[in-house]
Structures are given as C-alpha cells and as structure tokens.
Amino acid sequence: MSTEYIPSELMDRESRSNRYYRNAVERHWDPGQIELERDVENLLEYIEGAQDYDAQAWDRTLNGIAKFGAGEDAVTEDLAPLATVLEDIDDQLFLTTQLYEEAKHADFFDRYWREVIWTVEDELGWDRSNPRADKWFNDPYVELFDRNKKAQYRLLDEDTPETRAKAYCHYHLTVEGILAQTGYYGMQTSYGGEFEELPYLPGLVEGFTKIRSDEGRHVGFGMNQLKKLIQEGVDPKLIEDTVNELLPLVQGITEDDRFQPDADAERVGLEDGELAAYAVDKHTDRMRQITDTAADLPDVDELVQLESDD
Amino acid sequence: MSTEYIPSELMDRESRSNRYYRNAVERHWDPGQIELERDVENLLEYIEGAQDYDAQAWDRTLNGIAKFGAGEDAVTEDLAPLATVLEDIDDQLFLTTQLYEEAKHADFFDRYWREVIWTVEDELGWDRSNPRADKWFNDPYVELFDRNKKAQYRLLDEDTPETRAKAYCHYHLTVEGILAQTGYYGMQTSYGGEFEELPYLPGLVEGFTKIRSDEGRHVGFGMNQLKKLIQEGVDPKLIEDTVNELLPLVQGITEDDRFQPDADAERVGLEDGELAAYAVDKHTDRMRQITDTAADLPDVDELVQLESDD
C-alpha cells in the first residue's frame, strides 16, 4: 500500500464498477421506511391461533433472523480491509456503496428485532429474546465468519492477486453469493404467504427483497473482479477449491436443525434438499461465467432483478 | 485488530454515531440529479460577454474545482483504514455513510468537469482541460494530503488512542473541518450570484451546499470521537498541536494565487483575509466544544444546518 499522495486517475464511467456504483446510488432505499406493523399483527394472530405453539416454535422463527442480523454486522466490518487495498477509483466508489448497504442491512435486522420481535414478546408477556445469544450461532456459522474475517484482514499483510481472489471467494461468492442468497430465498419463500402453516410477514419479505437486490449487485462485482484476476493469471482452480472448502460450513448453517421438530412430518416450509439444489445451481452458473472468457457477466439491471425475482 | 469472529454488541440507537448514521440515510441525495444546464449557459454567456477574458481567467475558475475533485477522490480512499480499526458497531455504521458520501462528492466533481467544463470548452472550440493536470496541485496541497494519508494508514500498524486522535485531527478537523469547509464557503459565496464580476453557477452552488451539509455531519462525528478520546486520557494539547502544524499548509492551499491577476485591484470575490478569519473562527469554536467537558456538541440537525446556512 503506497502511503504517498498521488492524484487518482479519472473515473471510467463505462467500467462495470462505476456502473454498479451508479446503480446503487439510484436504487437507494431506507430500511427505516419499511412498514412493520402488519408483521406484528400477523405474528400475534398466528401464535394465538396455533395449537401447541411453544418456545421451540418461536426459536425457529428467531433463529434465521438472528443469524442474518449478526452476519450483516460482521460483513459491515469485514469489508473495510478490501477498501484499503483497492487502488482503482471505480472499484473504490463501488465498495463504498457495498459497505454502506451492509450497514443498512444490519440496521434493518436490528430494527426488525426491536420493533417486531420484542413487541410481540411484550404483548404476550414473554421475556425479550436476545438476538446475540450464543445459541443462534452454531459451530459452522462461527467458523465460516471466522475464516471470512481472516481472509479479508490477510489483505493488509499480503496483498497479492491470490489473496484478493480468496477474499472475493469468501465474501462475495460464498457468504453473499451462496449463504445469504440461499437463506434469503428460503426466508422469502417461507414467510411470503405461500405456506398455510407459517405466518405471512410482509415487512420481513420486503426487507429481504431489497437486501437480495443489493447483494445481487455485490455478487456481480465480486464475479467481475475474479474474472479480471483470472485474466491476469490467477488459477481458476484456486477459486473452485476455496469455495468448495467452505461449502460444508454453508450447509451446516442452512441445515442447522437444532430448532426443528424431531419428526420429519412436522417440519414445514422448504425441504433441506430444495435449498441445497438452489445454491448449487446458482454457484455452478456463476463459476462458468467467471472462468469462461467468452461468457458475459449479466448486466447490473439483470443482477439486481434476477436475485430478487427468480 | 482481532481477526476472530465474535458477534458484535447490539446497536445503541441513542448514541451520537447511530443518530448521525440515521441522519445520513434520511438525507440521502444523488449527485446525478443536480441540474447543470444553467451553469453551462451562464458560463458561456459570462465568458462571451467579458472583456479580456483569457486562459488565466478560465484557469482561475477551474483551479478550485480541480482541487476539490482530486481531494474528494483522495479522502474516499484514505478513510478505509479507520473503518478497519473501529470496533464499535455504531461508529462503523456511521463510517460507512461517510465513505459513501465522499464517493458521491467525488462523483459530483467528476460529473461537473465532464458536463460543464468540457461542454463549455467544446462550445468555444478550446482544448479540453485535464482535471488531474499537475498544475492544480501546489506543494502545500500535495503535502497536506500526503500527511493525511500517512496519518490514516498508520492506524494499520499502530492503533492507539493517540494515533486515532491524530487521524481524526488530520481528516475530520483539518481536511474537512478547515480546508474543505473554508473552500466550500468561498466557492459558494463567489459563484452564488453575489458578485457581478463572477458568473452565477447554481448547479455548482447546489452541489456545494449538499456536500457541506454532509461534511458538517462528518466533522461533528470527528469532534465527538475526539471528545471521547480526551475523556479516555488523550492530551488535548496533542490535538491542538497536530492541527496547528497543518494550518500553514491549509493557508498555502486556500491562498494559492498562481492563477490570480498580479494587480490586487483586479482580484474579484472574497478577500484572502475573509477566508482565513472564517476558518479560524470555526476551528476555535470547535476546539472549545471538544476540550470543554461541560460543553455540548451541536446536535446533528444543527450540524448539517449550520454548515450549509451560515
């Protein structure tokens, strides 16, 4: 890292990073503006109308939200090392939008916990749950975020094409591209009103939709950076291997069934296999786009659309 | 810097950092939305109607814009080390908004150069000026940004209350609090339509107003961080000394008169002394608020208002 002041190059308005940056500014949204009252009403109605509703059932709902909330906090912090090493002005511009968006995602989950979860618990006379209780974070979760953090902070000591590629693999391809996108897809589907056995939570779904759209753009940026690194000589196998090493941890998180009923028949929502299939499909497609020099990456309008609609 | 994953504490919604973060989200603006057509028209009309308008007069207008443009690019990059060391979640949230806003400021100046400066030059059949030409950046400018960058990157090697205090002194109190606020004030006044001898540039003034409002919030954050550091034992003299050492550089930038006419009588706009007085007033007031434990910092609504209105 040079610590000497040299005026930066002019921006390249046609570069992908610059266009992604502009797209983020134009699609700005405020997590404080999402209506959450219906979620409180629907949850109360659902809980009061349910048979045998117990603490385990409530924990099942909280589990996913707690994991996302703490995850977004972590990534807000973990992206900063990359911002200190990137020297291209357009990459820097984009990265500031990503940092800011991760902060807004953390804000959304924090707000959801305070305004929905605690309000429901207050209404029912239950104790307020702690979104940072250890029980939400199983070993694969801690291990994945630990490895992500190390891969990001390693850039400060050793900034090479390979350490950058690994940083993008951990953060953009795996944490965002596989874990978060899979989780969001699962949550959106579960609480989107499709399943009679689950409450309909329109505020949660609206937040997820906005967040997934932002993250579609982030994943696209990471893919484009990896494609450039491969063109500069990074072995595609490094990318494949890094992601493959992390996949069992992702699976250990999305299939954390400590809060599920023991009997399979009582489980509701998506089957485990459906999520895994969704994740593998997405990832295979992305790897092809990154490694095939002839393949084009989707344009930004498609990235933000794709990830929220399919 | 710990590279181990530990879930962060819950946000403190009442903390200053969190409130400043929220204020930034709620006051979001897009530099691409500011109308610039009138600036092109007014500049063309002004240049075509002026007597003895020459290259030096044009350089005088470009000088300030070039310095701001390159300065905003620099600070976008230089803030990232601070983001890697701050561990408080609310401070982190705020810092992502500051990084993002610096990127938008850089975007505004880049856009202004392309859409106003180059359009005017094209219309007049002149060569297009280079916003990164060496001539804009005099020695004190390069030296100030060099020292700022070193103070920021030093955090990565030595993160102590003192190095943090110095980082805030360079960036928040001096580059933003004195240099930028003074320059913006000067430019807003010069091109706000008050002086008959200068063109009225409403797009430039609107951009400056939005940027100064953002930077009022940034300076307030830096002041609050310094106030906390003093309470934790940092010597206020360190802050005073650090800023004092940088003041001659700031003066060397705001009073860069290489593009001014030789005869004092031909100079237009604010006098040099007015800018210096403005800067010293502001700084003295801020130092009192930081070092006096009984003094309150202005609230965020006042910070963003103050800086754009007075």
Coordinates of all heavy atoms in Angstrom, one line a residue, chain B residues 193-255:
Chain B
G193 N -23.9 34.2 -7.1 CA -24.6 35.3 -7.7 C -24.5 36.7 -7.0 O -25.0 37.7 -7.4
E194 N -23.6 36.7 -6.0 CA -23.5 37.9 -5.2 C -22.5 38.9 -5.9 O -22.7 40.1 -5.7 CB -22.9 37.4 -3.8 CG -22.9 38.5 -2.7 CD -22.2 38.0 -1.5 OE1 -22.4 36.8 -1.1 OE2 -21.5 38.7 -0.8
F195 N -21.6 38.4 -6.6 CA -20.6 39.2 -7.3 C -20.9 39.4 -8.8 O -20.9 38.4 -9.5 CB -19.2 38.7 -7.1 CG -18.7 38.6 -5.7 CD1 -18.8 37.4 -5.0 CD2 -18.3 39.7 -5.0 CE1 -18.4 37.3 -3.6 CE2 -17.9 39.7 -3.7 CZ -18.0 38.4 -3.0
E196 N -21.0 40.7 -9.2 CA -21.3 40.9 -10.6 C -20.2 40.5 -11.5 O -20.4 40.1 -12.7 CB -21.5 42.4 -10.8 CG -23.0 42.7 -11.2 CD -23.2 44.2 -11.4 OE1 -22.6 44.7 -12.3 OE2 -23.9 44.8 -10.5
E197 N -18.9 40.5 -10.9 CA -17.8 40.2 -11.8 C -17.6 38.7 -11.9 O -16.6 38.3 -12.6 CB -16.5 40.8 -11.1 CG -16.6 42.2 -10.6 CD -17.1 42.2 -9.1 OE1 -17.7 41.2 -8.7 OE2 -16.8 43.2 -8.4
L198 N -18.4 37.9 -11.3 CA -18.2 36.4 -11.4 C -19.5 35.8 -11.9 O -20.6 36.3 -11.7 CB -17.9 35.9 -10.0 CG -16.5 36.2 -9.4 CD1 -16.5 35.7 -7.9 CD2 -15.4 35.5 -10.2
P199 N -19.3 34.7 -12.6 CA -20.6 34.0 -13.1 C -21.4 33.4 -12.0 O -20.8 33.0 -11.0 CB -20.0 32.9 -14.1 CG -18.6 32.6 -13.5 CD -18.1 33.9 -13.0
Y200 N -22.7 33.4 -12.2 CA -23.6 32.7 -11.3 C -23.7 31.2 -11.7 O -24.1 30.9 -12.8 CB -24.9 33.4 -11.2 CG -26.0 32.6 -10.5 CD1 -25.7 32.1 -9.2 CD2 -27.3 32.5 -11.0 CE1 -26.7 31.4 -8.5 CE2 -28.3 31.9 -10.3 CZ -28.0 31.3 -9.0 OH -29.0 30.6 -8.3
L201 N -23.3 30.3 -10.8 CA -23.3 28.9 -11.2 C -24.2 28.1 -10.2 O -23.7 27.5 -9.2 CB -21.9 28.3 -11.1 CG -20.9 29.1 -12.0 CD1 -19.5 28.5 -11.9 CD2 -21.3 29.0 -13.5
P202 N -25.5 28.0 -10.5 CA -26.4 27.5 -9.5 C -26.2 26.0 -9.2 O -26.5 25.5 -8.1 CB -27.8 27.7 -10.1 CG -27.6 28.0 -11.5 CD -26.2 28.6 -11.6
G203 N -25.8 25.2 -10.3 CA -25.6 23.8 -10.1 C -24.4 23.5 -9.2 O -24.5 22.7 -8.3
L204 N -23.4 24.3 -9.4 CA -22.2 24.2 -8.5 C -22.5 24.5 -7.1 O -22.1 23.8 -6.2 CB -21.1 25.1 -9.1 CG -19.7 24.9 -8.5 CD1 -19.1 23.5 -8.8 CD2 -18.7 26.0 -8.9
V205 N -23.3 25.6 -6.9 CA -23.6 26.0 -5.6 C -24.5 25.0 -4.9 O -24.4 24.6 -3.7 CB -24.3 27.4 -5.6 CG1 -24.9 27.7 -4.2 CG2 -23.3 28.5 -6.0
E206 N -25.5 24.4 -5.7 CA -26.3 23.4 -5.1 C -25.5 22.1 -4.6 O -25.7 21.6 -3.5 CB -27.4 22.9 -6.1 CG -28.5 22.0 -5.4 CD -29.5 21.5 -6.4 OE1 -29.7 22.1 -7.5 OE2 -30.1 20.4 -6.1
G207 N -24.6 21.7 -5.5 CA -23.7 20.6 -5.1 C -22.9 20.9 -3.9 O -22.8 20.1 -2.9
F208 N -22.3 22.1 -3.8 CA -21.5 22.5 -2.6 C -22.4 22.5 -1.4 O -21.9 22.1 -0.3 CB -21.0 24.0 -2.8 CG -19.8 24.0 -3.7 CD1 -19.5 25.2 -4.4 CD2 -18.8 23.0 -3.7 CE1 -18.4 25.3 -5.2 CE2 -17.7 23.1 -4.4 CZ -17.4 24.2 -5.2
T209 N -23.6 23.0 -1.5 CA -24.5 23.0 -0.3 C -24.8 21.7 0.2 O -24.7 21.4 1.4 CB -25.8 23.8 -0.7 OG1 -25.5 25.0 -1.4 CG2 -26.7 24.0 0.5
K210 N -25.1 20.7 -0.7 CA -25.3 19.3 -0.2 C -24.0 18.7 0.4 O -24.1 18.1 1.4 CB -25.7 18.5 -1.4 CG -26.9 18.9 -2.2 CD -28.1 18.4 -1.4 CE -29.4 18.5 -2.3 NZ -30.6 18.3 -1.5
I211 N -22.9 19.0 -0.2 CA -21.6 18.4 0.3 C -21.3 19.0 1.6 O -20.9 18.3 2.5 CB -20.5 18.6 -0.8 CG1 -20.8 17.8 -2.1 CG2 -19.2 18.2 -0.2 CD1 -19.9 18.1 -3.2
R212 N -21.4 20.3 1.7 CA -21.1 20.9 3.0 C -22.0 20.4 4.1 O -21.6 20.3 5.3 CB -21.3 22.5 2.9 CG -20.1 23.1 2.2 CD -20.3 24.6 2.2 NE -20.0 25.1 3.5 CZ -20.5 26.2 4.1 NH1 -21.4 26.9 3.4 NH2 -20.2 26.7 5.2
S213 N -23.3 20.2 3.8 CA -24.2 19.6 4.8 C -23.7 18.2 5.3 O -23.6 18.0 6.5 CB -25.6 19.6 4.2 OG -26.5 19.0 5.1
D214 N -23.3 17.4 4.3 CA -22.8 16.1 4.7 C -21.5 16.2 5.5 O -21.4 15.6 6.6 CB -22.3 15.3 3.4 CG -23.5 14.8 2.6 OD1 -24.6 14.8 3.0 OD2 -23.2 14.4 1.4
E215 N -20.7 17.2 5.1 CA -19.4 17.3 5.9 C -19.6 17.9 7.2 O -18.8 17.7 8.1 CB -18.4 18.1 5.0 CG -18.2 17.3 3.7 CD -16.8 17.4 3.1 OE1 -16.0 18.3 3.4 OE2 -16.4 16.4 2.4
G216 N -20.6 18.7 7.4 CA -21.0 19.2 8.8 C -21.2 18.0 9.7 O -20.7 18.0 10.8
R217 N -21.9 17.0 9.2 CA -22.1 15.8 10.0 C -20.8 15.0 10.2 O -20.6 14.5 11.3 CB -23.1 14.9 9.2 CG -23.8 13.9 10.0 CD -24.6 12.9 9.2 NE -25.6 13.5 8.3 CZ -25.4 13.6 6.9 NH1 -24.4 13.0 6.3 NH2 -26.4 14.1 6.2
H218 N -20.0 14.9 9.2 CA -18.7 14.2 9.4 C -17.8 14.9 10.4 O -17.2 14.3 11.3 CB -17.9 14.2 8.1 CG -18.6 13.6 6.9 ND1 -18.1 13.6 5.6 CD2 -19.7 12.9 6.8 CE1 -18.9 13.0 4.8 NE2 -19.9 12.6 5.5
V219 N -17.7 16.2 10.3 CA -16.9 17.0 11.3 C -17.5 16.8 12.7 O -16.7 16.5 13.7 CB -16.8 18.5 11.0 CG1 -16.1 19.3 12.0 CG2 -16.2 18.7 9.6
G220 N -18.8 16.8 12.8 CA -19.4 16.5 14.1 C -19.0 15.2 14.7 O -18.7 15.0 15.9
F221 N -19.0 14.2 13.8 CA -18.6 12.8 14.3 C -17.1 12.8 14.8 O -16.8 12.3 15.8 CB -18.7 11.8 13.1 CG -18.1 10.5 13.3 CD1 -18.8 9.5 14.1 CD2 -16.9 10.1 12.8 CE1 -18.3 8.3 14.3 CE2 -16.3 8.9 13.0 CZ -17.0 7.9 13.8
G222 N -16.3 13.5 14.0 CA -14.8 13.5 14.4 C -14.7 14.2 15.7 O -13.9 13.8 16.6
M223 N -15.4 15.3 15.9 CA -15.4 16.1 17.2 C -15.8 15.2 18.3 O -15.2 15.2 19.4 CB -16.3 17.3 17.1 CG -15.8 18.4 16.2 SD -17.1 19.7 15.9 CE -17.2 20.5 17.5
N224 N -16.9 14.4 18.1 CA -17.4 13.6 19.2 C -16.4 12.4 19.5 O -16.2 12.1 20.7 CB -18.7 13.0 18.8 CG -19.4 12.3 19.9 OD1 -19.5 12.8 21.0 ND2 -19.9 11.1 19.6
Q225 N -15.7 11.9 18.5 CA -14.7 10.9 18.7 C -13.6 11.4 19.5 O -13.0 10.8 20.4 CB -14.2 10.3 17.4 CG -15.3 9.6 16.5 CD -15.8 8.3 17.2 OE1 -16.9 8.3 17.8 NE2 -15.1 7.2 17.0
L226 N -13.2 12.7 19.2 CA -12.0 13.3 19.9 C -12.4 13.6 21.3 O -11.6 13.4 22.2 CB -11.6 14.6 19.1 CG -10.8 14.3 17.9 CD1 -10.7 15.6 17.0 CD2 -9.4 13.8 18.3
K227 N -13.6 14.0 21.5 CA -14.1 14.3 22.9 C -14.1 13.1 23.7 O -13.6 13.1 24.9 CB -15.5 14.9 22.8 CG -15.9 15.8 23.9 CD -17.3 16.4 23.7 CE -17.8 17.0 25.0 NZ -17.6 18.5 25.0
K228 N -14.4 11.9 23.1 CA -14.4 10.7 23.9 C -12.9 10.3 24.2 O -12.6 9.8 25.2 CB -15.1 9.6 23.1 CG -16.6 9.7 23.1 CD -17.3 8.4 22.6 CE -17.3 8.3 21.1 NZ -18.0 7.1 20.5
L229 N -12.1 10.5 23.2 CA -10.6 10.1 23.4 C -10.0 11.0 24.5 O -9.2 10.5 25.2 CB -9.9 10.3 22.1 CG -10.1 9.2 21.0 CD1 -9.6 9.6 19.6 CD2 -9.5 7.9 21.4
I230 N -10.4 12.2 24.6 CA -9.9 13.1 25.6 C -10.3 12.6 27.0 O -9.6 12.5 27.9 CB -10.3 14.6 25.4 CG1 -9.5 15.2 24.2 CG2 -10.0 15.4 26.7 CD1 -10.0 16.6 23.9
Q231 N -11.6 12.2 27.0 CA -12.2 11.6 28.3 C -11.4 10.3 28.7 O -11.3 10.0 29.8 CB -13.7 11.4 28.2 CG -14.5 12.7 28.3 CD -15.9 12.6 27.7 OE1 -16.3 11.5 27.4 NE2 -16.5 13.7 27.6
E232 N -10.9 9.6 27.7 CA -10.1 8.4 27.9 C -8.7 8.7 28.2 O -7.9 7.8 28.3 CB -10.3 7.4 26.8 CG -11.7 6.9 26.7 CD -12.0 6.2 25.3 OE1 -11.0 6.0 24.6 OE2 -13.2 6.0 25.0
G233 N -8.3 10.0 28.2 CA -6.9 10.3 28.6 C -6.0 10.9 27.5 O -4.8 11.2 27.8
V234 N -6.5 11.1 26.3 CA -5.6 11.7 25.3 C -5.5 13.2 25.7 O -6.4 13.9 26.1 CB -6.2 11.6 23.9 CG1 -5.5 12.5 22.9 CG2 -6.2 10.1 23.4
D235 N -4.2 13.7 25.6 CA -3.9 15.1 25.9 C -4.5 16.0 24.9 O -4.1 15.9 23.7 CB -2.4 15.2 26.0 CG -1.9 16.6 26.5 OD1 -2.8 17.5 26.6 OD2 -0.7 16.7 26.8
P236 N -5.3 17.0 25.3 CA -5.9 17.9 24.3 C -4.8 18.7 23.6 O -5.0 19.1 22.4 CB -6.7 18.9 25.2 CG -7.0 18.2 26.5 CD -5.8 17.2 26.7
K237 N -3.6 18.8 24.2 CA -2.5 19.5 23.5 C -2.1 18.8 22.2 O -1.7 19.5 21.2 CB -1.4 19.7 24.5 CG -0.4 20.8 24.1 CD 0.6 21.1 25.2 CE 1.7 22.0 24.6 NZ 2.3 21.7 23.4
L238 N -2.2 17.5 22.2 CA -1.9 16.7 21.0 C -2.8 17.2 19.9 O -2.3 17.3 18.7 CB -2.1 15.2 21.3 CG -1.9 14.3 20.1 CD1 -0.4 13.9 20.0 CD2 -2.7 13.0 20.3
I239 N -4.0 17.4 20.2 CA -5.0 17.8 19.1 C -4.7 19.2 18.6 O -4.6 19.4 17.4 CB -6.4 17.7 19.7 CG1 -6.7 16.3 20.1 CG2 -7.5 18.3 18.8 CD1 -8.0 16.1 20.9
E240 N -4.5 20.1 19.6 CA -4.2 21.5 19.2 C -2.9 21.5 18.4 O -2.8 22.2 17.4 CB -4.0 22.3 20.5 CG -4.0 23.8 20.4 CD -5.4 24.3 19.9 OE1 -6.3 24.4 20.7 OE2 -5.5 24.6 18.7
D241 N -1.9 20.8 18.8 CA -0.6 20.8 18.1 C -0.7 20.3 16.7 O -0.1 20.8 15.8 CB 0.5 20.1 18.9 CG 0.9 20.8 20.2 OD1 0.5 22.0 20.3 OD2 1.6 20.2 21.0
T242 N -1.4 19.1 16.6 CA -1.5 18.5 15.3 C -2.2 19.4 14.3 O -1.7 19.6 13.2 CB -2.3 17.2 15.4 OG1 -1.7 16.4 16.4 CG2 -2.3 16.4 14.1
V243 N -3.3 20.0 14.7 CA -4.0 20.9 13.8 C -3.1 22.2 13.5 O -3.0 22.6 12.3 CB -5.3 21.4 14.4 CG1 -6.0 22.4 13.5 CG2 -6.2 20.1 14.5
N244 N -2.4 22.7 14.5 CA -1.6 23.9 14.3 C -0.5 23.6 13.3 O -0.2 24.5 12.5 CB -1.0 24.4 15.6 CG -2.1 25.2 16.4 OD1 -3.1 25.6 15.9 ND2 -1.8 25.3 17.7
E245 N 0.1 22.5 13.3 CA 1.2 22.1 12.4 C 0.6 22.1 10.9 O 1.4 22.3 10.0 CB 1.7 20.7 12.7 CG 2.8 20.7 13.6 CD 3.2 19.3 14.0 OE1 3.2 18.4 13.1 OE2 3.4 19.0 15.2
L246 N -0.6 21.8 10.8 CA -1.2 21.7 9.4 C -1.7 23.0 8.9 O -1.9 23.1 7.7 CB -2.3 20.6 9.4 CG -1.9 19.2 9.8 CD1 -3.1 18.3 10.0 CD2 -0.9 18.6 8.8
L247 N -2.0 23.9 9.8 CA -2.6 25.2 9.3 C -1.8 25.9 8.2 O -2.5 26.4 7.3 CB -2.9 26.1 10.5 CG -4.1 25.7 11.4 CD1 -4.2 26.7 12.5 CD2 -5.4 25.7 10.6
P248 N -0.5 26.0 8.3 CA 0.2 26.7 7.2 C 0.0 26.0 5.8 O -0.1 26.7 4.8 CB 1.7 26.6 7.6 CG 1.7 26.3 9.1 CD 0.4 25.6 9.3
L249 N -0.2 24.7 5.8 CA -0.5 24.0 4.6 C -1.8 24.4 4.0 O -2.0 24.7 2.8 CB -0.4 22.5 4.8 CG 1.0 22.0 5.2 CD1 0.9 20.5 5.4 CD2 2.1 22.3 4.2
V250 N -2.8 24.5 5.0 CA -4.2 24.9 4.6 C -4.1 26.3 4.0 O -4.7 26.5 2.9 CB -5.2 24.9 5.8 CG1 -6.5 25.4 5.4 CG2 -5.3 23.4 6.3
Q251 N -3.4 27.1 4.6 CA -3.3 28.5 4.1 C -2.6 28.5 2.7 O -3.1 29.3 1.8 CB -2.5 29.3 5.1 CG -2.7 30.8 4.9 CD -2.1 31.6 6.1 OE1 -1.4 31.0 6.9 NE2 -2.4 32.8 6.2
G252 N -1.6 27.7 2.6 CA -0.9 27.6 1.3 C -1.8 27.1 0.2 O -1.6 27.3 -1.0
I253 N -2.9 26.4 0.5 CA -3.9 25.9 -0.5 C -4.9 27.0 -0.8 O -5.2 27.3 -1.9 CB -4.5 24.6 0.0 CG1 -3.4 23.5 0.2 CG2 -5.6 24.1 -1.0 CD1 -3.9 22.3 0.9
T254 N -5.5 27.5 0.3 CA -6.7 28.4 0.1 C -6.1 29.8 -0.5 O -6.9 30.5 -1.1 CB -7.5 28.7 1.4 OG1 -6.5 29.2 2.4 CG2 -8.2 27.5 1.9
E255 N -4.9 30.0 -0.3 CA -4.3 31.3 -0.8 C -3.4 31.1 -2.0 O -2.5 31.9 -2.3 CB -3.7 32.1 0.3 CG -4.7 32.4 1.4 CD -4.2 33.3 2.5 OE1 -3.1 33.7 2.5 OE2 -5.0 33.6 3.4

